[in-house]
Amino acid sequence: MKKNAIQKELTDAVKSLLEMARDLTFNKISSNCFFITSEIERSERNSFEQNKIRINSNNKKTAKTLADVIPDIEKLYDNLYDLNLYVYKTEKKQTIIEIQYYPLSSLDFDYQKKIERTEPMLHFKIYTPPYYSENNKKFDIH
């Protein structure tokens, strides 16, 4: 992801994420999107505990427009390793997208040196339930 193209790349990723969500789930996915951000933190906790903590934290956040989130991402840019977009919550009139970021400073020092000139990666993903397989019908995104 290039620093001078953050808005375009995020906008394109959001469109692709929404399309993927509509293809995989039976939920109504609104194109009226708002965003929350969260840091991916290294932890010794298992994924269930980490997810529980993340959800509790996210539920306390106020969702912002993409225009309001862009300056936050720009400030983080020089310390970004990875950005991941997920559909966090869908409601009838809006979709809340979580932007999770992994800072370079969380990586091992040797690996930081190895990738110091690499641009941050940008991914969009859908959490799938454990029972889901590609042969299944659509699932509930929540």
Side-chain angles (χ1 to χ4, degrees), residues 40 80-84 100-103 120-123 125:
I40 301 170
L80 277 180
Y81 175 66
D82 195 11
L83 277 182
N84 298 289
Q100 294 181 356
Y101 61 92
Y102 195 77
M121 296 179 285
L122 175 62
H123 306 281
K125 305 172 184 179

Side-chain angles (χ1 to χ4, degrees), residues 104-114:
L104 276 170
S105 57
S106 292
L107 298 170
D108 293 329
F109 183 74
D110 291 339
Y111 191 64
Q112 285 181 42
K113 286 291 190 192
K114 193 177 205 179

Side-chain angles (χ1 to χ4, degrees), residues 14 17-18 28-37 54 58-59 61-64 85-99 125 141-142:
V14 167
L17 175 66
L18 295 178
K28 173 132 175 82
I29 309 290
S30 172
S31 294
N32 183 28
C33 296
F34 292 89
F35 301 83
I36 55 174
T37 58
R54 184 184 59 79
N58 284 347
N59 285 339
K61 295 177 182 176
T62 301
K64 303 176 182 180
L85 278 62
Y86 295 93
V87 173
Y88 180 68
K89 191 181 294 186
T90 60
E91 297 171 355
K92 193 173 189 177
K93 296 184 179 181
Q94 71 178 9
T95 299
I96 298 175
I97 296 175
E98 179 180 12
I99 301 174
K125 305 172 184 179
I141 202 162
H142 297 116

Side-chain angles (χ1 to χ4, degrees), residues 1-3 6 9-10 73 77 80 83 119-122:
M1 178 176 68
K2 298 189 181 302
K3 189 171 187 174
I6 291 174
E9 291 193 40
L10 284 176
I73 303 298
Y77 187 86
L80 277 180
L83 277 182
E119 294 174 350
M121 296 179 285
L122 175 62

